[in-house]
Amino acid sequence: MTVVEETPGAPNPNGGVAPIPVRIGGVRGGPPLRKILRRDTWWLQPALTALGLLGFIGYSIWAALRNGDFYAGAYGRDYLSPLYSPCLTHSCTTAGYVWGGWSWWRISPAWLILAFPGAFRTTCYYYRKAYYRSFWFSPPACAVPDAGSTAEGNGLRKRYSGETRFPLILQNIHRYTWYFAVIFAGILTWDAIAAFRFPNGIGLGVGTIILVINAVFIWAYTLGCHACRHLCGGGLKQFSKHKSRYWLWKNVLTHLNEHHQLFAWCSLFSIIVSDLYIYLVASGTITDPRIF
Amino acid sequence: MASTTEQAAATTNEAAQSAAPRRSVTLRLWRGDADGGGLVDYEVPALEGEVVLDVVHRIQATSAPDLAVRWNCKAGKCGSCSAEINGKPRLMCMTRMSTLPQDEPITVSPMRTFPVIRDLVTDVSYNFTVAAAIPAFSPGPREADGTYRMAQVDIDRSQEFRKCIECFLCQNVCHVIRDHEDNKQYYAGPRFLARLAELEMHPLDNLDRRRYISEQMGIGLCNITKCCTEVCPESIHITDNAIIPLKERVVDARYDPVAWLGRKLLGRKPPKSATAVAAVAPLWRDRGAEHAGAGSKEA
């Protein structure tokens, strides 16, 4: 065994004072680490996650490239696809939406929208777990060797640096992407309210229900964010001195946070369902049934 | 000489065992030491309601008296009997045989992150060295009457981490050190990040360890894949309630320009660097050497 001493030649790569003086290099027991002993279907969850995430990425690329049929105003419905909201660009005015005005933006407005919520979801603690397991294989499942395992040589990556180096150190911007996510959740709430607006007054269509459900899921996901939980109360040392923040942290945000994974997927599906439904209505493929 | 009560209890126990349905199972145990080893099959009867540790003890009592296995309470509270059962890190005393597939051999191997001592027993002294490197609880001055006071709501959060039984299953499953031996020098691991969270959230603690957690304890190496939470026998939400809140506190200290600007404008002190924390807190510099060379729990 080797005992790592504190020496000038062995600096801590994290920038700390010195390595922790632990013994490394001891002989490990059990079968070789690369031999997977798990008997269950450990590969199923990362496979389904990869399928789900690739499905969403594929759909959103198709929806962004479509650059049309995202607003159902021509059919008497004030439904705007969440992938195109806020609609500010040239194609929005072409589609009959009132907010459009950026004539210099000629490509699909969806790219503008995807960038901000996309950054929020990419740096989200839940999605990080999901894609580190499904795409990075770091590790694909618990007690299954990661793709860069160097414990017994032959690792694909020489040294594992986690989120300490570029580009993964950028995961620390998550709270800033959350600020933008709150703005987008507000805009989608406005869209859901606007969906009650019919040519002859207030009404309710199937599309209205879909957009309201979408807004609820988006808020549940956004407020359940770990950064939000920290900023609103988790970062405090003494809850007893901040009673309202403690109440919010304990009774709202912690409960939402416990179901963050569920709301992450629900909101992802609700975005797809909303966009697809509005596309079908806006393209004249189906007629939106009005309930009252 | 056993008392009458003990004899009666033993008779009752034997009667209960003979009445319980028996079936034969194959346990595939890893036998060996630092010089090498391999998996050995043992066919042994298992009774209804038994846990893996019961069957391992039966093997030890019948066909392999030299089998080394560490255990103590058999109630999931001492954290001694950690192992990998069918490849999953678990406590042997809390894994019922009925939850495992009976028609194929059940593999039991030692924790594969730590050096082996013999058979199912590993040297977990790495954890004690890391524990010694954590800056200790540092309360501020006492109140006028010589006491400390804190509200229950302020300590509820950190009491979750006090449930830890130090079985080190979370340390074992964490791929940062499981798959990368060299990272053991730079990374505290989930159990000790939970300990650091407990200290950071303590209402009376006065030491700002945030930069230390980043620079010395290597929290950036954790990529939050939640395996520590999955294997915790005490169901502690290590990732959501300890590691991620710590990561956010590190963001406050190191990566948040708004917080930096606020500190400048309000004249607040910046977080102490790892070196500064090391200078004021008792660390392994003072007491770590004995832990670095210390043995582990007795086999």
Side-chain angles (χ1 to χ4, degrees), chain A residues 31-90:
Chain A
L33 206 58
R34 288 205 162 269
K35 184 175 171 60
I36 299 168
L37 297 177
R38 284 184 64 164
R39 306 271 177 82
D40 57 339
T41 51
W42 58 266
W43 47 268
L44 187 61
Q45 192 180 24
L48 290 175
T49 304
L51 208 62
L53 292 177
L54 286 173
F56 177 78
I57 292 167
Y59 179 87
S60 53
I61 289 172
W62 172 77
L65 292 174
R66 196 175 73 219
N67 200 13
D69 296 330
F70 53 79
Y71 179 61
Y75 292 87
R77 298 289 188 269
D78 206 354
Y79 300 161
L80 177 65
S81 162
L83 287 174
Y84 284 79
S85 181
C87 207
L88 303 169
T89 63
H90 177 70

Side-chain angles (χ1 to χ4, degrees), chain B residues 98-110:
Chain B
S98 57
T99 62
L100 302 168
Q102 306 286 308
D103 52 347
E104 54 188 19
I106 295 162
T107 308
V108 183
S109 56

Side-chain angles (χ1 to χ4, degrees), chain B residues 187-294:
Chain B
Y187 181 60
R191 190 278 167 267
F192 297 105
L193 291 175
R195 169 67 181 150
L196 285 158
E198 181 192 332
L199 290 168
E200 280 298 293
M201 292 172 187
H202 199 290
L204 295 180
D205 185 78
N206 258 357
L207 193 60
D208 186 348
R209 298 171 185 78
R210 290 177 297 173
R211 287 185 71 98
Y212 188 84
I213 289 164
S214 171
E215 295 169 0
Q216 189 66 21
M217 297 281 105
I219 196 170
L221 290 171
C222 169
N223 66 342
I224 49 167
T225 45
K226 287 198 173 183
C227 286
C228 49
T229 305
E230 276 188 30
V231 303
C232 180
E234 285 293 310
S235 302
I236 301 170
H237 294 91
I238 304 172
T239 319
D240 287 320
N241 290 350
I243 297 179
I244 293 174
L246 274 190
K247 275 184 175 261
E248 286 298 317
R249 283 165 191 250
V250 167
V251 172
D252 287 340
R254 297 198 69 176
Y255 304 110
D256 190 338
V258 178
W260 173 83
L261 190 63
R263 281 195 298 271
K264 287 282 179 194
L265 293 175
L266 299 172
R268 290 183 181 160
K269 287 181 183 173
K272 289 187 173 76
S273 70
T275 313
V277 172
V280 298
L283 297 170
W284 53 264
R285 288 171 191 286
D286 308 319
R287 57 195 171 106
E290 61 194 81
H291 290 275

Side-chain angles (χ1 to χ4, degrees), chain A residues 192-227:
Chain A
I193 294 167
F196 286 93
R197 204 162 47 196
F198 283 69
N200 55 351
I202 292 174
L204 183 79
V206 171
T208 316
I209 296 169
I210 290 173
L211 286 177
V212 168
I213 292 172
N214 180 53
V216 169
F217 281 145
I218 292 284
W219 274 115
Y221 170 65
T222 307
L223 294 178
C225 164
H226 292 83

